[in-house]
């Protein structure tokens, strides 16, 4: 069998469709189907069956996927071990976080990182999904929830405050009960749970999974919103509605696979990130001066 076919198998199992797997693997859908067929022929048994437009693993396919997933992580570990021998801070480091952290905080600060390490390149992945560090989907993850398990090095970066905001322009009157919120799939977040009792029968005028988009909507007078203080306090079109103290706080965590920390480019980037968040701790905490 072709061992590389296992990589295609794992991605199909993870994505659920050939089209999605093709996008993830950056190949065409025909190639994905061909590689799956080749693996099934080599093993002499079907590994997936199609149901309701999705590819579901067979009983044997589920067992093969479990083994193949472990192989994928082992291969990633071999790559990390080999890369750890390099001493120069160069190459690509993949960093993932939510879009607000990526767009509003990390990108403006990258020139300082590049000035320190000219041979370094950064790939920023803005996503609400928990990309898997063990499989090298990202080298460093900045998350708003501490993982319960995994062979990771975890470091707290900051306390991230949230407050209620409205439009700063007086000519954009917003009814007190009009709000903008996250999409339903993010209703479990602490900021959305805080908002539920404060709606008081009000209207949700806009839902979005983009914090940056919600900030623009609030500044435009669409409705009030619960936003991270580091972003909203610096926005000229927003004003706090709840006083100098944030209404809630969430921990922000830096997550690296233990093996990846041995790579000098990952270690250098992680150290720089920790320095940045330490320097801006007050802005993230969100307690206004004089309170």
């Amino acid at each position: 069998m072709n061992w590389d076919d296992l990589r295609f198998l794992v991605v199909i199992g993870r994505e659920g469709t050939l089209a999605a797997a093709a996008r993830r693997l950056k190949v065409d859908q025909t190639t994905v189907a061909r590689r799956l067929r080749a693996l099934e022929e080599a093993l002499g048994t079907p590994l997936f069956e199609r149901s309701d437009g999705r590819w579901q693993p067979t009983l044997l396919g589920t067992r093969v996927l479990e083994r193949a997933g472990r192989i994928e992580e082992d291969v990633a570990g071999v790559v990390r071990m080999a890369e750890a021998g390099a001493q120069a801070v160069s190459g690509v480091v993949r960093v993932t976080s939510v879009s607000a952290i990526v767009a509003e905080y990390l990108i403006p600060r990258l020139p300082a990182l590049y000035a320190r390490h000219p041979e370094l390149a950064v790939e920023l992945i803005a996503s609400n999904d928990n990309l898997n560090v063990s499989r090298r989907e990202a080298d460093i993850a900045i998350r708003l929830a501490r993982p319960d398990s995994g062979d990771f090095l975890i470091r707290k970066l900051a306390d991230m405050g949230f407050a209620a905001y409205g439009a700063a322009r007086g000519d954009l009157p917003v009814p007190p009960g009009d709000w903008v919120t996250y999409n339903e799939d993010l209703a479990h977040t602490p900021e959305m749970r805080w908002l539920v009792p404060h709606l008081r029968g009000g209207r949700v005028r806009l839902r979005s999974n983009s914090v940056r988009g919600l900030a623009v909507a609030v500044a435009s007078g669409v409705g009030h919103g619960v936003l991270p203080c580091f972003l909203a306090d610096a926005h000229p079109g927003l004003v706090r509605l709840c006083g100098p103290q944030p209404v809630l706080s969430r921990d922000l965590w830096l997550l690296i696979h233990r093996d990846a920390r041995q790579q000098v480019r990952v270690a250098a980037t992680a150290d720089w990130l920790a320095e940045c968040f330490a320097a801006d701790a007050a802005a993230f905490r969100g307690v206004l001066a004089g309170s």
Side-chain angles (χ1 to χ4, degrees):
M1 64 179 294
N2 183 346
W3 289 100
D4 192 51
D5 290 340
L6 290 173
R7 181 168 60 96
F8 283 72
L9 175 78
V10 169
V11 176
I12 296 169
R14 192 174 299 140
E15 299 294 333
T17 68
L18 298 187
R23 287 193 295 272
R24 173 71 69 175
L25 292 162
K26 296 181 173 60
V27 298
D28 59 69
Q29 190 170 328
T30 303
T31 300
V32 177
R34 176 172 54 79
R35 299 294 287 270
L36 174 60
R37 268 196 317 273
L39 182 60
E40 290 179 330
E41 289 172 2
L43 295 176
T45 183
L47 300 173
F48 284 92
E49 54 190 14
R50 195 167 184 182
S51 175
D52 297 327
R54 295 185 64 83
W55 290 78
Q56 303 290 346
T58 63
L59 182 60
L60 178 62
T62 300
R63 295 171 61 190
V64 172
L65 276 171
E66 292 173 357
R67 290 285 185 94
R70 293 199 292 270
I71 291 171
E72 181 187 38
E73 294 191 8
D74 287 343
V75 170
V78 170
V79 173
R80 283 192 294 266
M81 184 171 58
E83 291 177 343
Q87 296 304 310
V89 181
S90 62
V92 178
V93 176
R94 290 178 293 275
V95 181
T96 183
S97 188
V98 295
S99 59
I101 296 289
V102 168
E104 305 297 330
Y105 187 74
L106 295 182
I107 290 177
R109 287 161 177 77
L110 284 180
L113 176 62
Y114 294 147
R116 184 183 298 186
H117 304 296
E119 301 303 317
L120 189 68
V122 176
E123 180 180 337
L124 290 175
I125 308 165
S127 174
N128 292 323
D129 299 328
N130 284 334
L131 299 184
N132 194 298
V133 173
S134 297
R135 295 192 298 264
R136 301 186 82 238
E137 293 177 344
D139 298 307
I140 298 172
I142 300 172
R143 294 179 178 168
L144 283 161
R146 180 177 179 136
D148 296 326
S149 61
D151 190 18
F152 305 124
L153 295 174
I154 302 172
R155 178 174 184 173
K156 184 176 176 180
L157 286 176
D159 296 307
M160 187 168 167
F162 290 76
Y165 292 86
R169 285 175 52 187
D171 60 339
L172 295 173
V174 179
D178 285 1
W179 291 85
V180 301
T181 73
Y182 295 158
N183 289 343
E184 290 289 354
D185 58 342
L186 294 173
H188 63 281
T189 59
E191 53 269 37
M192 291 299 97
R193 293 202 302 269
W194 177 90
L195 180 58
V196 169
H198 292 83
L199 283 173
R200 297 190 178 94
R203 299 180 299 174
V204 175
R205 306 304 305 275
L206 171 69
R207 295 185 187 276
S208 174
N209 65 350
S210 167
V211 176
R212 192 178 187 186
L214 291 178
V216 173
V218 174
S220 301
V222 176
H224 304 314
V226 180
L227 301 169
C229 298
F230 87 91
L231 182 156
D233 287 340
H235 196 300
L238 297 173
V239 62
R240 279 207 199 184
L241 304 176
C242 57
Q245 293 287 340
V247 298
L248 63 100
S249 181
R250 299 182 65 182
D251 294 338
L252 201 60
W253 301 93
L254 180 76
L255 173 63
I256 312 172
H257 193 278
R258 193 174 299 277
D259 293 342
R261 189 64 172 82
Q262 305 306 313
Q263 301 170 21
V264 290
R265 66 174 182 270
V266 174
T269 304
D271 290 344
W272 173 79
L273 286 168
E275 291 174 19
C276 288
F277 282 93
D280 295 322
F284 274 91
R285 191 174 301 115
V287 178
L288 297 181
S291 62

